Coordinates of all heavy atoms in Angstrom, one line a residue:
M877 N -19.5 -21.3 -38.7 CA -18.5 -20.4 -38.2 C -19.2 -19.1 -37.7 O -18.8 -18.6 -36.6 CB -17.5 -20.1 -39.3 CG -16.5 -19.1 -39.0 SD -15.3 -20.0 -38.0 CE -14.1 -18.7 -37.8
K878 N -20.2 -18.6 -38.4 CA -20.9 -17.4 -38.0 C -21.7 -17.6 -36.7 O -21.9 -16.7 -36.0 CB -21.9 -16.9 -39.1 CG -21.1 -16.4 -40.3 CD -22.1 -15.9 -41.3 CE -21.4 -15.4 -42.5 NZ -22.4 -14.8 -43.5
R879 N -22.0 -18.8 -36.4 CA -22.7 -19.1 -35.2 C -21.9 -18.8 -33.9 O -22.4 -18.5 -32.9 CB -23.1 -20.6 -35.1 CG -24.1 -21.0 -36.2 CD -24.3 -22.5 -36.1 NE -25.6 -22.7 -35.5 CZ -26.1 -23.8 -35.1 NH1 -25.3 -24.9 -35.2 NH2 -27.3 -23.9 -34.5
F880 N -20.6 -18.9 -34.0 CA -19.7 -18.7 -32.9 C -19.2 -17.2 -32.8 O -18.8 -16.8 -31.8 CB -18.5 -19.6 -33.0 CG -19.0 -21.1 -32.9 CD1 -18.9 -21.9 -34.0 CD2 -19.5 -21.6 -31.7 CE1 -19.3 -23.2 -33.9 CE2 -19.9 -22.9 -31.7 CZ -19.8 -23.7 -32.8
V881 N -19.2 -16.5 -33.9 CA -18.6 -15.2 -34.0 C -19.5 -14.2 -33.2 O -19.0 -13.5 -32.3 CB -18.5 -14.7 -35.4 CG1 -18.1 -13.2 -35.4 CG2 -17.4 -15.5 -36.1
L882 N -20.8 -14.2 -33.4 CA -21.7 -13.2 -32.7 C -21.7 -13.5 -31.2 O -21.5 -12.5 -30.4 CB -23.1 -13.3 -33.3 CG -23.3 -12.5 -34.6 CD1 -24.7 -12.7 -35.1 CD2 -23.0 -11.1 -34.4
P883 N -21.9 -14.7 -30.7 CA -21.8 -14.9 -29.2 C -20.5 -14.5 -28.6 O -20.4 -13.9 -27.5 CB -22.1 -16.3 -29.0 CG -22.8 -16.8 -30.2 CD -22.3 -15.9 -31.3
T884 N -19.4 -14.8 -29.3 CA -18.1 -14.4 -28.9 C -17.9 -12.9 -28.8 O -17.4 -12.4 -27.8 CB -17.0 -15.0 -29.8 OG1 -17.2 -16.4 -29.8 CG2 -15.6 -14.8 -29.3
L885 N -18.3 -12.2 -29.8 CA -18.2 -10.7 -29.8 C -19.1 -10.1 -28.7 O -18.8 -9.2 -28.1 CB -18.6 -10.2 -31.2 CG -17.6 -10.4 -32.3 CD1 -18.1 -9.9 -33.6 CD2 -16.3 -9.7 -32.0
G886 N -20.3 -10.7 -28.5 CA -21.2 -10.3 -27.5 C -20.6 -10.4 -26.1 O -20.6 -9.5 -25.2
L887 N -20.0 -11.6 -25.9 CA -19.3 -11.8 -24.6 C -18.1 -10.9 -24.4 O -17.9 -10.3 -23.3 CB -18.8 -13.3 -24.5 CG -18.1 -13.7 -23.2 CD1 -19.0 -13.5 -22.0 CD2 -17.6 -15.1 -23.3
A888 N -17.4 -10.6 -25.4 CA -16.2 -9.7 -25.3 C -16.7 -8.3 -25.0 O -16.2 -7.6 -24.2 CB -15.4 -9.7 -26.6
G889 N -17.8 -7.9 -25.6 CA -18.4 -6.6 -25.4 C -18.9 -6.4 -23.9 O -18.7 -5.4 -23.3
V890 N -19.5 -7.5 -23.4 CA -19.9 -7.4 -22.0 C -18.7 -7.3 -21.1 O -18.8 -6.5 -20.1 CB -20.8 -8.7 -21.7 CG1 -21.0 -8.8 -20.2 CG2 -22.1 -8.6 -22.4
L891 N -17.7 -8.0 -21.3 CA -16.5 -8.0 -20.5 C -15.8 -6.6 -20.5 O -15.4 -6.1 -19.5 CB -15.5 -9.0 -20.9 CG -15.9 -10.5 -20.6 CD1 -14.9 -11.5 -21.1 CD2 -16.1 -10.7 -19.1
V892 N -15.8 -6.0 -21.7 CA -15.2 -4.6 -21.9 C -16.1 -3.6 -21.1 O -15.5 -2.8 -20.3 CB -15.1 -4.2 -23.3 CG1 -14.8 -2.7 -23.5 CG2 -14.1 -5.0 -24.0
L893 N -17.4 -3.7 -21.2 CA -18.2 -2.8 -20.5 C -18.2 -3.0 -19.0 O -18.3 -2.0 -18.2 CB -19.7 -2.9 -21.0 CG -19.9 -2.4 -22.4 CD1 -21.4 -2.6 -22.8 CD2 -19.6 -0.9 -22.5
A894 N -18.0 -4.2 -18.5 CA -17.9 -4.5 -17.1 C -16.6 -3.8 -16.5 O -16.6 -3.5 -15.3 CB -17.8 -6.0 -16.9
G895 N -15.6 -3.7 -17.3 CA -14.4 -3.0 -16.8 C -14.5 -1.5 -16.7 O -13.6 -0.8 -16.2
C896 N -15.6 -0.9 -17.2 CA -15.8 0.5 -17.2 C -16.7 1.0 -16.1 O -17.3 2.0 -16.2 CB -16.4 0.9 -18.5 SG -15.4 0.6 -20.0
L897 N -16.7 0.2 -15.0 CA -17.5 0.6 -13.8 C -17.0 1.9 -13.2 O -15.7 2.1 -13.2 CB -17.6 -0.5 -12.8 CG -18.3 -1.8 -13.3 CD1 -18.2 -2.9 -12.2 CD2 -19.7 -1.5 -13.6
E898 N -17.8 2.6 -12.6 CA -17.4 3.9 -11.9 C -16.5 3.5 -10.7 O -16.8 2.7 -9.9 CB -18.6 4.6 -11.4 CG -18.3 5.9 -10.7 CD -19.5 6.6 -10.1 OE1 -20.6 6.1 -10.3 OE2 -19.3 7.6 -9.4
T899 N -15.3 4.2 -10.6 CA -14.4 4.0 -9.5 C -14.2 5.3 -8.7 O -13.4 5.3 -7.8 CB -13.1 3.4 -9.9 OG1 -12.5 4.3 -10.9 CG2 -13.2 2.1 -10.6
M900 N -14.8 6.4 -9.1 CA -14.7 7.7 -8.5 C -15.5 7.7 -7.2 O -16.5 7.0 -7.1 CB -15.2 8.8 -9.4 CG -14.4 8.9 -10.7 SD -12.7 9.3 -10.4 CE -12.9 11.0 -9.8
P901 N -15.0 8.4 -6.2 CA -15.8 8.5 -4.9 C -17.1 9.2 -5.1 O -17.2 10.1 -5.9 CB -14.9 9.3 -4.0 CG -13.8 9.9 -4.8 CD -13.8 9.1 -6.1
G902 N -18.1 8.7 -4.5 CA -19.4 9.4 -4.6 C -20.0 9.5 -3.2 O -19.3 9.3 -2.2
P903 N -21.3 9.9 -3.0 CA -21.8 10.1 -1.7 C -21.8 8.9 -0.8 O -21.7 8.9 0.4 CB -23.2 10.6 -2.0 CG -23.4 10.6 -3.4 CD -22.2 10.2 -4.1
D904 N -21.9 7.7 -1.5 CA -21.9 6.5 -0.7 C -20.5 5.9 -0.5 O -20.3 5.0 0.2 CB -22.8 5.4 -1.4 CG -22.3 5.2 -2.9 OD1 -21.8 6.1 -3.5 OD2 -22.6 4.0 -3.4
R905 N -19.5 6.5 -1.2 CA -18.1 6.0 -1.1 C -17.2 7.3 -0.9 O -16.8 7.9 -1.8 CB -17.7 5.3 -2.4 CG -18.3 3.9 -2.5 CD -17.8 3.3 -3.7 NE -18.5 3.9 -4.9 CZ -18.2 3.7 -6.1 NH1 -17.2 3.0 -6.4 NH2 -18.8 4.3 -7.1
P906 N -17.0 7.6 0.3 CA -16.2 8.8 0.6 C -14.8 8.7 0.1 O -14.2 7.6 0.1 CB -16.2 9.0 2.1 CG -16.6 7.6 2.6 CD -17.4 7.0 1.6
H907 N -14.2 9.8 -0.2 CA -12.8 9.8 -0.7 C -11.8 9.5 0.5 O -12.0 10.1 1.5 CB -12.4 11.1 -1.3 CG -11.0 11.3 -1.7 ND1 -10.4 10.6 -2.7 CD2 -10.0 12.0 -1.1 CE1 -9.1 10.9 -2.8 NE2 -8.9 11.7 -1.9
R908 N -11.0 8.5 0.3 CA -10.0 8.2 1.3 C -8.6 8.7 0.9 O -8.2 8.2 -0.2 CB -9.9 6.7 1.6 CG -11.1 6.3 2.4 CD -11.0 4.8 2.8 NE -11.8 4.1 1.7 CZ -11.8 2.9 1.5 NH1 -11.0 2.1 2.2 NH2 -12.5 2.3 0.6
P909 N -7.9 9.5 1.6 CA -6.6 10.0 1.2 C -5.6 8.8 1.2 O -5.7 7.9 1.9 CB -6.2 11.1 2.2 CG -7.0 10.8 3.4 CD -8.3 10.1 2.9
R910 N -4.6 9.0 0.3 CA -3.6 7.9 0.2 C -2.8 8.0 1.5 O -2.5 9.0 2.1 CB -2.7 8.2 -0.9 CG -3.3 7.9 -2.3 CD -2.2 8.1 -3.3 NE -2.6 7.4 -4.5 CZ -1.9 7.2 -5.5 NH1 -0.6 7.6 -5.5 NH2 -2.3 6.5 -6.6
P911 N -2.3 6.8 2.0 CA -1.5 6.8 3.2 C -0.1 7.4 2.9 O 0.3 7.4 1.7 CB -1.4 5.3 3.5 CG -1.7 4.6 2.2 CD -2.6 5.5 1.5
E912 N 0.5 8.0 3.8 CA 1.8 8.7 3.6 C 2.9 7.7 3.9 O 4.1 8.2 4.1 CB 1.9 9.9 4.5 CG 0.9 11.0 4.0 CD 1.1 12.3 4.7 OE1 2.2 12.5 5.2 OE2 0.1 13.0 4.7
K913 N 2.6 6.4 4.0 CA 3.7 5.5 4.2 C 4.5 5.2 2.9 O 3.9 5.3 1.8 CB 3.1 4.1 4.6 CG 2.4 4.2 6.0 CD 1.8 2.9 6.3 CE 1.0 3.0 7.6 NZ 0.4 1.7 7.9
P914 N 5.7 4.9 3.0 CA 6.5 4.7 1.7 C 6.0 3.4 1.1 O 5.6 2.5 1.8 CB 7.9 4.5 2.2 CG 7.9 4.3 3.7 CD 6.6 4.9 4.1
A915 N 6.1 3.3 -0.2 CA 5.6 2.2 -1.0 C 6.6 1.0 -0.8 O 6.1 -0.2 -0.7 CB 5.5 2.5 -2.4
M916 N 7.9 1.3 -0.7 CA 8.8 0.2 -0.5 C 10.1 0.8 0.1 O 10.4 1.9 -0.1 CB 9.0 -0.6 -1.7 CG 10.0 -0.3 -2.7 SD 9.9 -1.4 -4.1 CE 10.1 -0.1 -5.3
C917 N 10.8 0.0 0.9 CA 12.0 0.4 1.6 C 13.2 -0.4 1.1 O 13.0 -1.6 0.6 CB 11.9 0.2 3.1 SG 10.6 1.2 3.8
T918 N 14.4 0.2 1.1 CA 15.6 -0.5 0.8 C 16.0 -1.5 2.0 O 15.4 -1.3 3.1 CB 16.8 0.4 0.6 OG1 17.0 1.2 1.7 CG2 16.5 1.4 -0.6
R919 N 16.9 -2.4 1.8 CA 17.3 -3.3 2.8 C 18.6 -2.9 3.4 O 19.3 -3.7 4.0 CB 17.3 -4.7 2.2 CG 15.9 -5.2 1.8 CD 16.0 -6.6 1.4 NE 16.4 -7.4 2.5 CZ 15.9 -8.5 2.9 NH1 14.9 -9.0 2.3 NH2 16.4 -9.2 3.9
E920 N 19.0 -1.6 3.4 CA 20.2 -1.2 4.0 C 20.1 -1.3 5.5 O 19.1 -1.2 6.1 CB 20.5 0.3 3.6 CG 19.6 1.3 4.3 CD 19.9 2.7 3.9 OE1 21.0 3.1 4.3 OE2 19.0 3.4 3.4
Y921 N 21.3 -1.5 6.1 CA 21.3 -1.7 7.6 C 21.9 -0.4 8.1 O 23.1 -0.1 8.1 CB 22.2 -2.9 8.0 CG 22.1 -3.1 9.5 CD1 21.0 -3.5 10.1 CD2 23.2 -2.8 10.3 CE1 20.9 -3.7 11.5 CE2 23.2 -3.0 11.6 CZ 22.0 -3.5 12.2 OH 22.0 -3.6 13.6
A922 N 21.0 0.4 8.7 CA 21.4 1.7 9.3 C 20.4 1.8 10.5 O 19.4 2.5 10.5 CB 21.2 2.9 8.4
P923 N 20.6 1.0 11.6 CA 19.7 0.9 12.7 C 19.2 2.2 13.3 O 20.0 3.1 13.5 CB 20.4 0.0 13.7 CG 21.8 0.0 13.4 CD 21.9 0.4 11.9
V924 N 17.9 2.2 13.6 CA 17.4 3.4 14.3 C 16.5 2.9 15.4 O 16.0 1.8 15.4 CB 16.5 4.2 13.3 CG1 17.4 4.8 12.2 CG2 15.4 3.5 12.7
C925 N 16.3 3.8 16.4 CA 15.4 3.5 17.5 C 14.1 4.4 17.2 O 14.2 5.5 16.9 CB 16.0 3.9 18.8 SG 14.9 3.6 20.3
A926 N 12.9 3.7 17.3 CA 11.7 4.4 17.0 C 10.7 4.1 18.1 O 10.8 3.2 18.8 CB 11.2 4.0 15.6
V927 N 9.7 5.0 18.2 CA 8.7 4.9 19.2 C 7.3 5.0 18.6 O 7.1 5.8 17.6 CB 8.9 5.9 20.3 CG1 8.7 7.3 19.8 CG2 8.0 5.7 21.5
K928 N 6.3 4.3 19.2 CA 4.9 4.3 18.7 C 4.1 4.0 20.0 O 4.2 2.9 20.5 CB 4.6 3.3 17.6 CG 3.2 3.3 17.2 CD 3.1 2.3 16.1 CE 1.7 2.0 15.6 NZ 1.6 1.0 14.6
R929 N 3.3 5.0 20.4 CA 2.5 4.9 21.6 C 3.3 4.4 22.8 O 2.9 3.5 23.6 CB 1.3 3.9 21.3 CG 0.3 4.4 20.3 CD -0.9 3.5 20.3 NE -1.3 3.4 18.9 CZ -1.5 2.3 18.2 NH1 -1.5 1.1 18.8 NH2 -1.9 2.3 17.0
G930 N 4.4 5.0 23.0 CA 5.3 4.7 24.1 C 6.1 3.4 24.0 O 6.9 3.1 24.9
K931 N 5.9 2.7 23.0 CA 6.7 1.4 22.8 C 7.9 1.7 21.9 O 7.8 2.2 20.8 CB 5.8 0.4 22.1 CG 6.6 -0.9 21.9 CD 5.7 -1.9 21.2 CE 6.5 -3.2 20.8 NZ 5.8 -4.0 19.9
R932 N 9.1 1.4 22.4 CA 10.3 1.6 21.6 C 10.7 0.3 20.9 O 10.6 -0.7 21.5 CB 11.5 2.1 22.6 CG 11.2 3.4 23.2 CD 12.2 3.7 24.3 NE 13.6 3.7 23.9 CZ 14.4 4.8 23.9 NH1 13.9 5.9 24.5 NH2 15.6 4.7 23.5
Q933 N 11.2 0.5 19.7 CA 11.6 -0.7 18.9 C 12.8 -0.3 18.0 O 12.8 0.8 17.5 CB 10.5 -1.2 18.1 CG 10.8 -2.5 17.4 CD 9.5 -3.1 16.8 OE1 8.4 -2.8 17.1 NE2 9.8 -4.0 15.9
T934 N 13.7 -1.2 17.8 CA 14.8 -1.0 16.9 C 14.4 -1.5 15.5 O 13.9 -2.7 15.4 CB 16.1 -1.7 17.3 OG1 16.4 -1.2 18.6 CG2 17.2 -1.6 16.4
F935 N 14.7 -0.8 14.5 CA 14.4 -1.2 13.1 C 15.7 -1.1 12.3 O 16.6 -0.4 12.7 CB 13.4 -0.2 12.4 CG 12.0 -0.4 13.0 CD1 11.6 0.3 14.0 CD2 11.1 -1.3 12.4 CE1 10.3 0.2 14.5 CE2 9.9 -1.5 12.8 CZ 9.4 -0.7 13.9
S936 N 15.8 -1.8 11.2 CA 17.0 -1.9 10.4 C 17.3 -0.5 9.7 O 18.5 -0.2 9.4 CB 17.0 -3.0 9.4 OG 15.9 -2.8 8.5
N937 N 16.3 0.3 9.5 CA 16.5 1.6 8.9 C 15.2 2.5 9.2 O 14.2 2.0 9.6 CB 16.9 1.6 7.4 CG 15.9 0.9 6.5 OD1 14.7 1.2 6.6 ND2 16.3 0.0 5.7
A938 N 15.3 3.8 8.9 CA 14.3 4.7 9.2 C 13.0 4.4 8.3 O 11.9 4.5 8.8 CB 14.7 6.1 9.0
C939 N 13.2 4.0 7.1 CA 12.1 3.7 6.2 C 11.3 2.6 6.8 O 10.0 2.7 6.7 CB 12.6 3.4 4.8 SG 11.4 3.0 3.6
M940 N 11.9 1.6 7.3 CA 11.2 0.4 7.8 C 10.3 0.9 9.1 O 9.2 0.4 9.2 CB 12.1 -0.7 8.2 CG 12.9 -1.3 7.0 SD 11.9 -2.1 5.9 CE 11.9 -3.7 6.5
A941 N 10.9 1.7 9.9 CA 10.2 2.2 11.1 C 9.0 3.0 10.7 O 7.9 2.9 11.2 CB 11.2 3.1 11.9
Q942 N 9.2 3.9 9.7 CA 8.1 4.8 9.3 C 7.0 4.0 8.6 O 5.8 4.3 8.7 CB 8.6 5.9 8.3 CG 9.4 6.9 9.1 CD 10.2 7.8 8.1 OE1 10.2 7.6 6.9 NE2 10.8 8.8 8.7
A943 N 7.4 2.9 7.9 CA 6.4 2.0 7.2 C 5.5 1.3 8.2 O 4.3 1.0 7.9 CB 7.1 1.0 6.3
K944 N 6.0 1.1 9.4 CA 5.2 0.5 10.5 C 4.5 1.5 11.4 O 3.8 1.1 12.3 CB 6.1 -0.4 11.4 CG 6.7 -1.6 10.6 CD 5.6 -2.6 10.4 CE 6.3 -3.8 9.7 NZ 5.4 -4.9 9.5
G945 N 4.6 2.8 11.1 CA 3.9 3.8 11.8 C 4.7 4.3 13.0 O 4.1 5.0 13.9
Y946 N 6.0 4.0 13.1 CA 6.8 4.5 14.2 C 7.5 5.8 13.9 O 7.7 6.1 12.7 CB 7.9 3.5 14.5 CG 7.4 2.3 15.3 CD1 6.6 1.3 14.8 CD2 7.7 2.1 16.7 CE1 6.1 0.2 15.5 CE2 7.3 1.0 17.4 CZ 6.5 0.1 16.8 OH 6.0 -1.0 17.6
N947 N 7.8 6.6 14.9 CA 8.6 7.8 14.7 C 10.0 7.6 15.2 O 10.2 7.1 16.3 CB 8.0 9.0 15.5 CG 6.6 9.4 15.0 OD1 6.4 9.4 13.8 ND2 5.7 9.6 15.9
V948 N 11.0 7.9 14.3 CA 12.4 7.7 14.7 C 12.8 8.7 15.7 O 12.5 9.9 15.6 CB 13.3 7.9 13.4 CG1 14.7 7.7 13.8 CG2 12.9 6.8 12.4
I949 N 13.4 8.2 16.8 CA 13.9 9.1 17.9 C 15.4 9.2 18.0 O 15.9 10.1 18.5 CB 13.2 8.8 19.2 CG1 13.5 7.3 19.6 CG2 11.7 9.1 19.2 CD1 13.1 7.0 21.0
E950 N 16.1 8.1 17.6 CA 17.5 8.1 17.6 C 18.1 7.4 16.4 O 17.5 6.4 15.9 CB 18.0 7.3 18.9 CG 17.7 8.0 20.2 CD 18.2 7.2 21.4 OE1 18.6 6.0 21.2 OE2 18.2 7.8 22.5
Q951 N 19.3 7.8 16.0 CA 19.9 7.2 14.8 C 20.8 6.0 15.3 O 22.0 5.9 14.8 CB 20.7 8.2 14.0 CG 19.8 9.3 13.4 CD 18.9 8.8 12.4 OE1 19.2 7.9 11.6 NE2 17.6 9.3 12.3
R952 N 20.4 5.2 16.2 CA 21.1 4.1 16.7 C 20.1 3.1 17.2 O 19.0 3.5 17.5 CB 22.1 4.5 17.7 CG 21.5 5.1 18.9 CD 22.5 5.6 19.9 NE 21.9 6.0 21.1 CZ 22.4 6.8 22.0 NH1 23.7 7.2 21.8 NH2 21.8 7.2 23.0
P953 N 20.5 1.8 17.5 CA 19.6 0.9 18.1 C 19.1 1.3 19.5 O 19.8 2.1 20.2 CB 20.4 -0.4 18.2 CG 21.5 -0.2 17.2 CD 21.8 1.2 17.2
C954 N 17.9 0.9 19.9 CA 17.4 1.3 21.2 C 18.2 0.6 22.3 O 18.7 -0.5 22.1 CB 15.9 0.8 21.3 SG 14.8 1.6 20.1
G955 N 18.2 1.2 23.5 CA 18.8 0.6 24.6 C 20.3 0.7 24.7 O 21.0 0.0 25.5
R956 N 20.9 1.6 24.0 CA 22.4 1.8 24.1 C 22.7 3.1 24.7 O 22.1 4.1 24.6 CB 23.0 1.7 22.7 CG 23.1 0.3 22.2 CD 23.9 0.2 21.0 NE 24.0 -1.1 20.5 CZ 24.7 -1.5 19.5 NH1 25.4 -0.6 18.8 NH2 24.8 -2.8 19.2

């Protein structure tokens, strides 16, 4: 029984220490700011017209447009 306890504890210790790796930005890993996109959008239907680099597109709501990087220009579908 003791033959299995020490190797098992050693393996557990190695796994715990492996989880403690540095995750802070350093000189070789510059800090990247968090994106300002919403984490998740509702599925409500409130169509908007949005534009990105001159391309207009209709989205089901403003959150969905902003999540794709578009700027809302009208609170209605495009082309009306």
Side-chain angles (χ1 to χ4, degrees):
M877 180 75 177
K878 290 184 182 181
R879 298 176 100 192
F880 299 109
V881 173
L882 282 176
T884 304
L885 288 176
L887 179 61
V890 168
L891 292 175
V892 167
L893 290 176
C896 296
L897 296 176
E898 178 186 357
T899 58
M900 299 296 293
D904 58 332
R905 288 181 285 170
H907 174 71
R908 286 184 264 166
R910 288 183 160 193
E912 294 188 22
K913 296 178 184 176
M916 91 182 136
C917 297
T918 62
R919 295 186 59 133
E920 71 178 299
Y921 184 70
V924 296
C925 182
V927 65
K928 177 178 173 182
R929 293 187 220 133
K931 180 183 175 194
R932 294 168 63 119
Q933 185 172 341
T934 301
F935 289 90
S936 60
N937 60 49
C939 181
M940 299 293 271
Q942 291 168 352
K944 296 287 185 178
Y946 282 73
N947 293 320
V948 176
I949 57 172
E950 295 179 348
Q951 297 295 322
R952 62 182 186 198
C954 297
R956 285 190 177 184

